[in-house]
Amino acid sequence: MIDIKTLTLLPQDAFLQASTLEIKAWWRYHRLALRFLPYDAELSIRIGELGVACERRLEALRCAAESLELGACVVLPVAQNEPEPDRANRHGFFVVDEAMADQLLQEAMTLAEEAHHFARRLLAVNGTPELERPLLEYARQKQVECIILMESQTEQQKRARSSRALHQGPV
């Protein structure tokens, strides 16, 4: 029987998996920011900043990989890469109402939580002391990403309730 506590991940695999995850998140946040732009510019900017954070994490991963002479193991975004298909496009690209906004934010939150869990697992199976700090920081930043999305979702729901109350007038 294999003891899962003794399994470790090679550094190049950790870099490749983390950077691949970040590329997907980068595309997703940039696309999501664009989708929210006509509906809520403030939220669009906040989501766009999550995409910029992905770029920073990719750069940090690249630097850490290069320090171990594994720079080729980090996937970087390039213009010719096609973004992953957007399943939510069946109802149109841009956010047009609060139901669509809630759905997209919930999907983003779910994916961010999965990414945070994955980052913690990468840290748990790390067997390379030089990767401890970069992976710990990576997991911490993924946790912050979840918090930002949760706060954004709460704020969007409050604005939607407030907007509904304004349109309904006094009862």
Side-chain angles (χ1 to χ4, degrees), residues 131-150:
L131 281 182
E132 187 76 19
R133 208 165 122 222
L135 289 178
L136 182 61
E137 182 61 18
Y138 180 68
R140 188 195 66 75
Q141 289 178 11
K142 295 311 272 183
Q143 181 179 25
V144 169
E145 185 178 302
C146 290
I147 292 168
I148 290 169
L149 281 170
M150 191 181 327

Side-chain angles (χ1 to χ4, degrees), residues 13-165:
D13 292 332
F15 285 127
L16 182 61
Q17 290 187 17
S19 63
T20 299
L21 181 73
E22 281 307 295
I23 290 290
K24 289 179 181 180
W26 180 74
W27 278 114
R28 190 172 55 252
Y29 287 130
H30 283 289
R31 190 174 48 249
L32 194 58
L34 181 59
R35 292 183 77 179
F36 269 96
L37 191 57
Y39 180 75
D40 186 336
E42 183 180 319
L43 183 56
S44 174
I45 290 168
R46 184 178 292 171
I47 292 169
E49 289 170 354
L50 291 175
V52 171
C54 290
E55 292 177 51
R56 286 191 207 115
R57 279 191 292 276
L58 281 166
E59 181 61 22
L61 287 169
R62 187 191 60 74
C63 288
E66 284 181 355
S67 73
L68 296 173
E69 298 182 11
L70 297 170
C73 296
V74 175
V75 179
L76 296 175
V78 290
Q80 66 267 24
N81 279 355
E82 286 294 316
E84 62 188 34
D86 194 346
R87 292 170 281 154
N89 275 346
R90 62 186 170 272
H91 300 296
F93 184 77
F94 292 108
V95 175
V96 294
D97 59 25
E98 65 186 70
M100 188 175 186
D102 286 342
Q103 175 191 356
L104 290 174
L105 285 172
Q106 184 57 51
E107 288 173 6
M109 185 68 211
T110 299
L111 291 170
E113 288 170 343
E114 289 172 4
H116 176 232
H117 177 73
F118 180 77
R120 287 192 336 239
R121 292 298 308 145
L122 278 179
L123 183 60
V125 298
N126 175 44
T128 308
E130 296 86 358
L131 281 182
E132 187 76 19
R133 208 165 122 222
L135 289 178
L136 182 61
E137 182 61 18
Y138 180 68
R140 188 195 66 75
Q141 289 178 11
K142 295 311 272 183
Q143 181 179 25
V144 169
E145 185 178 302
C146 290
I147 292 168
I148 290 169
L149 281 170
M150 191 181 327
E151 289 172 353
S152 296
Q153 188 174 25
T154 301
E155 289 173 19
Q156 191 279 326
Q157 290 170 344
K158 285 180 185 176
R159 282 193 300 272
R161 280 193 299 272
S162 174
S163 176
R164 277 195 306 266

